[in-house]
Amino acid sequence: MSNQPGSVYSFQSSDEKPETHTMSVLVDNEPGVLARVIGLFSGRGYNIDSLTVSETEHEAHLSRITIVTTGTPMVIEQIKSQLERLVPIHSVTDLTVEGNAVERELAMLKVAGKGDKRVEALRLADAFRAKVIDTSLDHFVFEVTGKQSKVEQFIQLMQPLGLVEVARTGVAAIARGPDPMAE
């Protein structure tokens, strides 16, 4: 974490430790909403670690924005409070505070290699339940889904085996239980 000028992180007191939080934000699906949310983060120097957006209710014209961000407890509360005040936002849920969320990420990895490295890449993919979604004589494209830590570990293990490129979706998260996210 850097202490860049203009960043809220440079004003942290030494006794507050940064925390990573996943927030689920229900918004109207209309032009400019994502720009407003991103503008709130950038204008105040907050960082976004992961961001996913998708329409979730076509008939109601609602989208869910899932944001993973890091900050002190005070900064996290500021983010949540400021998000709740934006007009097109219906609700903000801090899934980390609720403690009952399911989080997943999807990544595609291109790995080039031959011989023993190719065999080892396939063995590791099997252990991580990664799928081969494209292949040739000199490369694979793997698809791996799971917790961010699992995706990170798979990427690290593929680096010495010929990792060429990675594409990641970002975190998608939803609260456990029968109740929908509050509107």
Side-chain angles (χ1 to χ4, degrees):
M1 182 171 64
S2 70
N3 288 331
Q4 300 171 12
S7 170
V8 293
Y9 302 116
S10 60
F11 300 109
Q12 295 175 4
S13 65
S14 60
D15 58 335
E16 284 195 323
K17 301 281 187 237
E19 303 172 348
T20 299
H21 283 245
T22 302
M23 296 188 189
S24 188
V25 184
L26 195 60
V27 300
D28 287 336
N29 185 10
E30 60 185 39
V33 174
L34 181 59
R36 285 194 199 138
V37 171
I38 302 287
L40 183 146
F41 276 78
S42 66
R44 289 165 179 80
Y46 304 145
N47 190 42
I48 296 175
D49 299 326
S50 173
L51 176 73
T52 57
V53 184
S54 183
E55 185 175 61
T56 56
E57 296 181 43
H58 183 69
E59 297 297 320
H61 302 290
L62 294 176
S63 290
R64 179 186 305 254
I65 301 173
T66 305
I67 303 168
V68 179
T69 188
T70 303
T72 63
M74 183 182 77
V75 167
I76 297 296
E77 276 306 309
Q78 285 175 346
I79 291 170
K80 186 176 176 192
S81 174
Q82 290 166 358
L83 280 171
E84 288 170 338
R85 288 195 296 249
L86 287 178
V87 173
I89 292 182
H90 292 266
S91 66
V92 178
T93 304
D94 188 338
L95 296 171
T96 303
V97 170
E98 290 192 7
N100 61 348
V102 177
E103 295 184 10
R104 292 294 181 265
E105 182 177 17
L106 177 135
M108 293 185 294
L109 289 76
K110 186 184 297 182
V111 180
K114 294 184 178 190
D116 290 344
K117 286 187 176 186
R118 186 174 173 87
V119 171
E120 181 64 6
L122 280 171
R123 188 190 67 75
L124 285 170
D126 186 51
F128 277 79
R129 294 189 180 110
K131 295 180 199 172
V132 175
I133 58 174
D134 186 54
T135 187
S136 73
L137 294 175
D138 61 355
H139 88 282
F140 290 108
V141 175
F142 295 109
E143 174 187 298
V144 63
T145 306
K147 291 183 179 180
Q148 245 184 334
S149 58
K150 174 186 174 182
V151 172
E152 288 287 340
Q153 188 178 15
F154 188 64
I155 291 168
Q156 292 300 315
L157 290 170
M158 287 295 149
Q159 282 181 338
L161 300 177
L163 182 66
V164 174
E165 188 176 1
V166 177
R168 297 174 77 163
T169 61
V171 173
I174 194 165
R176 294 181 191 269
D179 299 325
M181 190 167 125
E183 279 192 46

